[in-house]
Amino acid sequence: MSEKAKETNTKNRNKILSIVYIGVSAALIAICSWIQIPLTVPITLQTMGVCLVSGLLGLKRGTLATLVYIVLGAIGVPVFAGFSGGMGVILGSTGGYIVGFIFTALIVGFVSDKFKGKLIVISMVIGILVCYAFGTAWFAVVYNKANDPASLATILGWCVTPFLIPDAVKIVIAAILTNRLKKFVK
């Protein structure tokens, strides 16, 4: 086999491997969204899935996996929390958090690529905080259009405060898994 043929073979193999990683990772995020801890406000593992996938796959593939997950949900595949899907979920009051996953993936993936896991926990914290900010602003706009306006403190009490400790635990788990599994991802 010529050197050029070997190089083409390697490139094709890497493309196929990337497609598989992206598809499996989108499925992992979906599975994480279906796992719910039933409290007053149900807690899912979506944020952990996005952080883990982006930490393992990096900026390009982690963000693509997150986008595939969102597009699947947008077209109606029941990949979102509670086995829901469709544009109604994205355009609804909590849809901003789903869109915010893109920012989380970009931040965590970028840091994973550039710093090789050294700042992964910090990137996950920042990524989830950006997701909170985007999602909470979205929630406030959608909720306040449909209902009597709620104060920022009230909205933070509904949308952020109950999730701080669970998300901190999910970040720790995602960071540990990322650091342990990264060596197996090509």
Side-chain angles (χ1 to χ4, degrees), residues 109-186:
F110 174 79
V111 170
S112 178
D113 285 350
K114 295 296 178 197
F115 300 102
K116 305 298 179 212
K118 294 183 176 113
L119 302 171
I120 201 71
V121 171
I122 293 169
S123 73
M124 290 177 182
V125 169
I126 293 168
I128 288 179
L129 288 176
V130 169
C131 183
Y132 279 168
F134 189 83
T136 303
W138 183 301
F139 180 90
V141 168
V142 172
Y143 181 85
N144 287 336
K145 273 186 177 180
N147 302 287
D148 288 333
S151 70
L152 179 60
T154 300
I155 291 172
L156 289 173
W158 293 337
C159 300
V160 177
T161 307
F163 301 98
L164 291 173
I165 292 172
D167 278 345
V169 172
K170 290 185 274 184
I171 287 169
V172 169
I173 293 168
I176 290 168
L177 288 172
T178 297
N179 287 328
R180 292 208 176 143
L181 297 174
K182 186 78 171 173
K183 61 187 168 199
F184 299 109
V185 177
K186 296 178 183 179

Side-chain angles (χ1 to χ4, degrees), residues 1-9:
M1 184 178 264
S2 72
E3 198 60 39
K4 185 168 179 132
K6 285 181 185 177
E7 185 178 317
T8 301
N9 224 6

Side-chain angles (χ1 to χ4, degrees), residues 17-182:
L17 193 58
S18 285
I19 291 168
V20 170
Y21 279 142
I22 290 165
V24 169
S25 295
L28 176 67
I29 297 169
I31 291 167
C32 287
S33 77
W34 297 333
I35 298 170
Q36 289 191 352
I37 300 166
L39 300 173
T40 307
V41 177
I43 296 169
T44 69
L45 301 181
Q46 284 169 296
T47 51
M48 185 180 84
V50 171
C51 286
L52 175 61
V53 163
S54 301
L56 287 174
L57 299 183
L59 177 64
K60 183 179 177 184
R61 294 185 300 178
T63 303
L64 281 172
T66 303
L67 285 168
V68 166
Y69 163 75
I70 293 169
V71 168
L72 286 171
I75 63 172
V77 179
V79 296
F80 298 144
F83 294 95
S84 62
M87 283 303 295
V89 176
I90 292 176
L91 297 175
S93 59
T94 59
Y97 296 100
I98 295 169
V99 174
F101 293 157
I102 297 167
F103 301 115
T104 303
L106 288 167
I107 292 165
V108 175
F110 174 79
V111 170
S112 178
D113 285 350
K114 295 296 178 197
F115 300 102
K116 305 298 179 212
K118 294 183 176 113
L119 302 171
I120 201 71
V121 171
I122 293 169
S123 73
M124 290 177 182
V125 169
I126 293 168
I128 288 179
L129 288 176
V130 169
C131 183
Y132 279 168
F134 189 83
T136 303
W138 183 301
F139 180 90
V141 168
V142 172
Y143 181 85
N144 287 336
K145 273 186 177 180
N147 302 287
D148 288 333
S151 70
L152 179 60
T154 300
I155 291 172
L156 289 173
W158 293 337
C159 300
V160 177
T161 307
F163 301 98
L164 291 173
I165 292 172
D167 278 345
V169 172
K170 290 185 274 184
I171 287 169
V172 169
I173 293 168
I176 290 168
L177 288 172
T178 297
N179 287 328
R180 292 208 176 143
L181 297 174
K182 186 78 171 173

